[in-house]
Amino acid sequence: MLTQLFSVDGTTHGPYAALPVSGSWLPDDCISVDRVTAGRIVCDLNTLDADCGIAGVWMGDDLAFLVEDGAHRVCPDADGRYSIGGLWAWKKLAI
């Protein structure tokens, strides 16, 4: 699968280099990013969109998105990639 560029739909966040997780990818599906890109997503979320009701925090190697009803924890897979999705819509950008 080839790396593609994604942004958070309706914002100026991104672009983020990522892999779609699903072959039939939809905007609410997960994208797979490396740790550096996950860090950019967290930084953008916490600084550019601080009032959105979601915050990202690192818990060791794991990433947690804090939401009103708790936390959505994302652990790295065997390749060190993070599957992020389901909390906002992604927009696939043309390369």
Side-chain angles (χ1 to χ4, degrees):
M1 202 175 296
L2 296 174
T3 300
Q4 299 177 19
L5 294 178
F6 294 85
S7 65
V8 176
D9 195 26
T11 72
T12 59
H13 301 10
Y16 307 112
L19 300 171
V21 173
S22 168
S24 58
W25 180 85
L26 298 170
D28 290 329
D29 288 346
C30 290
I31 59 172
S32 173
V33 298
D34 61 21
R35 184 176 174 109
V36 171
T37 302
R40 282 192 54 226
I41 293 169
V42 168
C43 182
D44 288 351
L45 177 65
N46 292 344
T47 58
L48 302 175
D49 219 359
D51 296 333
C52 75
I54 303 172
V57 296
W58 288 101
M59 303 172 74
D61 287 334
D62 295 349
L63 175 57
F65 292 99
L66 308 177
V67 295
E68 290 179 10
D69 61 349
H72 176 80
R73 193 168 185 153
V74 179
C75 303
D77 64 16
D79 295 321
R81 298 186 68 81
Y82 297 81
S83 291
I84 300 175
L87 297 170
W88 54 78
W90 294 107
K91 179 179 179 181
K92 192 183 303 187
L93 304 174
I95 296 180

